Amino acid sequence: MYEAYWQLRQKPFENTADPRFYYPGESHQAALLKLRYAVENQRSAALLCGASGLGKSMVISMLRSMLGERFSPFVHLVFPQMAAEQLLAYLAAQLTGSPDGVACDTPQSVRRIEQFLAGNAQQGRHAVVVADEAQLLGSNKTLEALRLLLNFEFDCRPGLTLVLSGQPGLIPILDRFASLEERVGVKCLLRPFSERETGEYVNCRLKLAGAAQSIFEPEALVTLHRLTHGIPRRINRLCDLALLIGYAEQLRSIGSSHLESINEELVAVTPE
């Protein structure tokens, strides 16, 4: 709606994990490098932790885009809240490429996974399984099922790397499940953007979307950081609304007062 007015090719602040719009913030870049190390060196497991909205999905999307064909298949489990038997059946279907709906009991699923990983390793490949929202894996049986998958080794190396991605509540869950925690080769913690990173993030996204000139005034970026606390999802929401309102009001640029007003009226709405 507002793209033509601001001379953009596309919307710059969509809340999607599009690797084209990745901004290498300090903690995000450190996490990405650690995860690449874990996968490329075929470590058993890795942990990516951060509060909601900090960009865990973007980091995973970037990881997937950077890994070569050797690190496949790449299975992204976005709804991990399953019973252990269901989870193993799902992973067996996703790893092997079988159609959805294949019913298997636990021994069958484990056998299918083991046979697939053995063949995958023989072809020089290494599988990656990402469990998103892993703090929902609260069942000991489910966690144990995932841990046991890490026991499949071929030529003295694990057949897959398990990446557990979740909110901070995942850390105490792992602490209580020492047999899995001990297999975690690297741990990554995302933090919010600093004030400088917030400004760079906004300008980076605008440039990637085709902006030829500055849209947000320098002081507006300082205000933006204060209002959003440097959380990418909040930044995206407020900036998207600001571009829309700026278009509606035919503004030439977006200042601090505009962001304050938009945040108060459209974001931080509280019942009377």
Side-chain angles (χ1 to χ4, degrees), residues 52-261:
S52 178
L54 283 182
K56 297 184 293 296
S57 294
M58 178 64 88
V59 171
I60 294 299
S61 181
M62 276 298 297
L63 174 67
R64 184 171 194 168
S65 71
M66 297 173 77
L67 294 174
E69 180 64 25
R70 176 172 167 241
F71 301 99
S72 62
F74 191 106
V75 176
H76 194 175
L77 176 64
V78 297
F79 188 83
Q81 206 168 17
M82 307 179 193
E85 184 173 290
Q86 294 173 320
L87 180 62
L88 290 171
Y90 176 84
L91 290 177
Q94 293 297 307
L95 286 168
T96 62
S98 299
D100 292 340
V102 176
C104 294
D105 58 22
T106 296
Q108 288 176 314
S109 297
V110 171
R111 188 160 49 250
R112 290 177 66 204
I113 292 171
E114 182 179 19
Q115 291 173 348
F116 172 80
L117 292 177
N120 203 50
Q122 286 180 349
Q123 296 176 44
R125 294 197 295 264
H126 180 76
V128 181
V129 173
V130 177
D132 219 341
E133 299 295 344
Q135 74 278 357
L136 299 177
L137 291 168
S139 164
N140 283 345
K141 289 184 178 180
T142 303
L143 288 169
E144 181 67 10
L146 289 175
R147 186 191 70 81
L148 290 174
L149 293 182
L150 304 181
N151 289 336
F152 292 140
E153 294 188 354
F154 310 96
D155 294 327
C156 300
R157 288 187 175 274
L160 62 83
T161 295
L162 172 66
V163 179
L164 297 169
S165 174
Q167 297 183 28
L170 176 59
I171 295 175
I173 291 173
L174 278 181
D175 287 341
R176 293 193 300 268
F177 203 80
S179 57
L180 177 57
E181 194 276 338
E182 291 167 356
R183 308 293 289 273
V184 176
V186 299
K187 296 179 180 179
C188 317
L189 181 64
L190 295 186
R191 59 162 178 76
F193 291 144
S194 66
E195 183 180 295
R196 173 187 60 80
E197 288 175 323
T198 296
E200 291 179 353
Y201 172 79
V202 169
N203 288 324
C204 175
R205 283 212 161 208
L206 286 169
K207 184 177 180 180
L208 290 169
Q213 58 188 14
S214 297
I215 296 176
F216 290 83
E217 297 170 8
E219 65 272 17
L221 296 174
V222 176
T223 299
L224 178 67
H225 179 262
R226 175 172 56 81
L227 294 174
T228 63
H229 305 287
I231 297 174
R233 186 179 295 160
R234 296 181 185 178
I235 295 171
N236 291 345
R237 176 177 60 181
L238 186 51
C239 285
D240 184 64
L241 287 170
L243 292 176
L244 176 62
I245 301 302
Y247 155 67
E249 297 181 357
Q250 299 290 285
L251 300 177
R252 300 188 67 178
S253 63
I254 296 171
S256 292
S257 61
H258 300 117
L259 286 178
E260 294 272 13
S261 177

